[in-house]
Amino acid sequence: MASVARSFFRIASQTAPKSSCSSTLRTATIFNARRALARQTFQPSSRRGYASGSSGASSTTPYILGILGLAGAGGAYFYFNNGGLAQLKEGSSGESRGVFTPSKDDYQKVYNLIASRLEEKDDYDDGSYGPVIVRLAWHCSGTYDKDTNTGGSNGATMRFAPEGDHGANAGLKAARDFLEPVKQQFPWITFSDLWTLAGVCAIQEMQGPVVPWRPGRTDRDVTMCTPDGRLPDGAKEQSHLRAIFGRMGFDDREIVALSGAHALGRCHTDRSGFEGPWSFSPTVVSNDYYRLLLGEKWNFRKWDGPKQYQDVATKSLMMLPTDMALIKDKEFRKHVERYAKDDQAFFSEFRDVLVKLLELGVPFKSKPEDRMTLKPTTSE
């Protein structure tokens, strides 16, 4: 085996390109080959899967074995570190059992576990973790910057303090913790895919539209955390909305469609500083957000907190300055009026813009037509 290693390294050194750029690649290639061949050299002789070779082998055999060793090492490195759609599975004694590529059925199992936990864990806020799961999927995706092609759902960098501690992400640890048992049961799925899939699951399980989804996101390290300030500030108005969403590549119609998610959940004083739900059914996806914006009378709430609006009739609902901007601005308002009148138009356009949001900046190897639709458990 030592002669195999020497032969291979001699060939690699002689045949690798000489440019300064490829020098780094050549060094990495030889390093990975050394690691792979060293492991094979010191592997116990009881290793399975190899027969005794003939002593009369051709003189080219060492080169072939060396190349195969490098390919195996490269394949293992890719599958274990890429965080993508395939992983090497091992048998009970550690031998390679081939590549595991998750199928639609595998992702349906992940979906079903999330859905069952949403049903079982009904002690959060208004009786569901659904809204905070949607917020997690939205906030991990809404950091995208089209000009620098940074941020977005690819990476799940909210796992790390610099991003997880951003003010706009306050309270999302509850959502991340909720999904940890799912990750433990299905360790092959990346956090990036898990969080976005969970968002799709929450929307569907809360009676929203069926949202096409595809895997292919990778997890990244702390160095890829995005800077603070990329998510909307509820205390501001229309120019801020256009700046934030325009950075991601959304137009006025898409901004209003995405805002319909405010039919879900509520604000908390210990997170955003604001308080209260936007709708009377905060765990059901509907067009109520638009209907209430137009149909109720809203006044400033008299309290010690930040500026927010309160419905006159019941004093139990709230709207943020960014919400009210949607009916103050004539271009935004026309879409609010359309969605308030037609819930199917809202469902259709919300679905499409949510798909776009969850895929921003993701370097998929699959095509848009490869998206899958996962079956809601509420349809069973």
Side-chain angles (χ1 to χ4, degrees):
M1 182 59 72
S3 63
V4 173
R6 285 193 298 271
S7 299
F8 176 73
F9 294 137
R10 184 164 55 248
I11 292 172
S13 299
Q14 292 171 354
T15 61
K18 302 298 184 182
S19 68
S20 60
C21 179
S22 62
S23 175
T24 301
L25 177 60
R26 183 169 65 252
T27 301
T29 300
I30 294 173
F31 174 75
N32 286 332
R34 281 177 176 157
R35 287 199 306 175
L37 291 171
R39 283 196 296 270
Q40 293 179 19
T41 302
F42 295 104
Q43 186 90 2
S45 60
S46 61
R47 176 183 56 192
R48 299 184 182 182
Y50 290 86
S52 299
S54 169
S55 59
S58 167
S59 62
T60 60
T61 301
Y63 305 141
I64 295 172
L65 288 175
I67 292 170
L68 289 175
L70 174 62
Y77 180 84
F78 173 82
Y79 287 120
F80 283 121
N81 292 278
N82 187 50
L85 305 183
Q87 292 188 3
L88 291 176
K89 296 182 75 175
E90 292 186 348
S92 59
S93 60
E95 73 274 20
S96 174
R97 304 276 291 188
V99 176
F100 168 59
T101 302
S103 66
K104 179 180 178 180
D105 287 342
D106 292 309
Y107 288 109
Q108 184 69 59
K109 291 174 183 177
V110 178
Y111 178 105
N112 291 346
L113 179 57
I114 297 169
S116 68
R117 286 181 58 76
L118 285 173
E119 183 176 1
E120 294 165 6
K121 306 294 182 180
D122 59 359
D123 56 347
Y124 185 82
D125 267 3
D126 298 289
S128 175
Y129 273 88
V132 75
I133 296 296
V134 172
R135 183 169 163 246
L136 173 65
W138 150 224
H139 280 218
C140 77
S141 305
T143 57
Y144 182 66
D145 185 329
K146 61 181 175 59
D147 294 329
T148 61
N149 195 33
T150 58
S153 64
N154 195 50
T157 47
M158 200 192 302
R159 290 171 293 146
F160 306 109
E163 191 170 329
D165 290 346
H166 290 170
N169 294 329
L172 288 179
K173 185 178 185 299
R176 299 194 299 269
D177 289 349
F178 174 90
L179 293 171
E180 274 298 325
V182 182
K183 173 66 172 173
Q184 291 172 12
Q185 185 162 335
F186 300 99
W188 49 264
I189 191 170
T190 63
F191 282 102
S192 306
D193 276 341
L194 176 60
W195 292 356
T196 53
L197 175 56
V200 168
C201 176
I203 289 292
Q204 294 186 174
E205 296 300 309
M206 292 188 290
Q207 304 177 42
V210 173
V211 181
W213 176 86
R214 56 176 162 160
R217 298 162 187 81
T218 59
D219 292 333
R220 304 169 114 175
D221 62 27
V222 67
T223 63
M224 300 305 293
C225 284
T226 56
D228 201 357
R230 288 194 176 186
L231 294 167
D233 181 346
K236 298 185 178 180
E237 299 194 358
Q238 52 263 51
S239 61
H240 172 74
L241 287 175
R242 287 192 172 99
I244 291 291
F245 286 92
R247 189 204 68 237
M248 291 182 257
F250 292 114
D251 60 25
D252 284 357
R253 179 186 62 83
E254 293 171 318
I255 293 171
V256 178
L258 274 177
S259 298
H262 276 181
L264 302 170
R266 61 172 58 236
C267 288
H268 304 77
T269 55
D270 61 344
R271 299 176 188 178
S272 64
F274 302 105
E275 182 181 53
W278 287 269
S279 74
F280 293 112
S281 302
T283 62
V284 177
V285 181
S286 71
N287 67 338
D288 282 358
Y289 170 74
Y290 307 106
R291 294 173 55 251
L292 291 166
L293 262 176
L294 295 170
E296 296 296 321
K297 291 183 179 180
W298 301 93
N299 286 335
F300 286 120
R301 178 180 177 181
K302 295 179 181 179
W303 72 317
D304 294 333
K307 177 182 175 182
Q308 69 176 64
Y309 293 82
Q310 185 178 63
D311 74 300
V312 173
T314 70
K315 294 182 171 55
S316 61
L317 302 178
M318 69 109 225
M319 291 287 173
L320 303 174
T322 48
D323 298 314
M324 299 305 292
L326 300 184
I327 57 175
K328 291 179 179 179
D329 185 283
K330 65 178 182 179
E331 293 302 316
F332 284 150
R333 186 182 178 104
K334 65 184 182 183
H335 298 296
V336 173
E337 291 174 345
R338 189 162 56 87
Y339 294 146
K341 294 175 182 176
D342 188 347
D343 61 343
Q344 291 307 306
F346 165 59
F347 268 38
S348 176
E349 295 178 31
F350 175 73
R351 174 200 63 213
D352 292 345
V353 75
L354 182 60
V355 170
K356 178 178 176 179
L357 172 69
L358 300 181
E359 295 190 351
L360 290 175
V362 181
F364 288 110
K365 295 181 180 178
S366 61
K367 299 177 181 179
E369 53 266 31
D370 295 325
R371 293 179 184 126
M372 61 185 76
T373 54
L374 299 170
K375 185 178 179 182
T377 62
T378 53
S379 65
E380 297 177 351

